[in-house]
Amino acid sequence: MKENAQEKYLKRKARQAEKALIKEREEAERIALQKKLDERFMRRAITQAKKAAAIGEVPIGCVIVHDGRVIASGYNRRNTDHSTLSHAEITAIKRAARVLGDWRLEDCTIYITLEPCQMCAGAIVQARCPRAVIGAMNPKAGCAGSIIDMFSMKEFNHRVQTERGVLGEQCSELLKKFFEELRAGKAQV
């Protein structure tokens, strides 16, 4: 029996639909896996932020991941080091560059508990880091979407794919609790 043109057309459409469904399923699985990984590494950044809080610093933490493993980390130490440059991201970028033996972090993802300032956003762009995952946004000083988005400016020679809000509530709560305790401590003095 010969298939007529309509039957051939319907079979072809069915195969196309099946392929599309498989592709959608694979993409959904990839997204779910990436979300799990992002949350896992953001928890590591939160651990770094807690180290900052433990020494009386604003709790901001950062980790840099290469090939599925953390190669560098950092936390805020501005007051401790008496240095404007002692931000979590700058510390982690320096350490990652040392580990890789290159200033370019081209195959890395940076995880940051708080949206970076202009200095740190600029350093991330300059390091050619392709992806940044941010916990809490910073409406007062954030330069990855809040005040300005340095990660997607066409004027720069590199752009950073950005995922925002990963474990954002936990990151925000850590900051909120720190500043509440800071104000309460100052009120007692």
Side-chain angles (χ1 to χ4, degrees), residues 53-69:
I55 60 171
E57 296 278 0
V58 177
I60 303 168
C62 175
V63 297
I64 297 177
V65 174
H66 181 263
D67 287 339
R69 67 181 182 89

Side-chain angles (χ1 to χ4, degrees), residues 5 108 141 169:
C108 297
E169 285 184 31

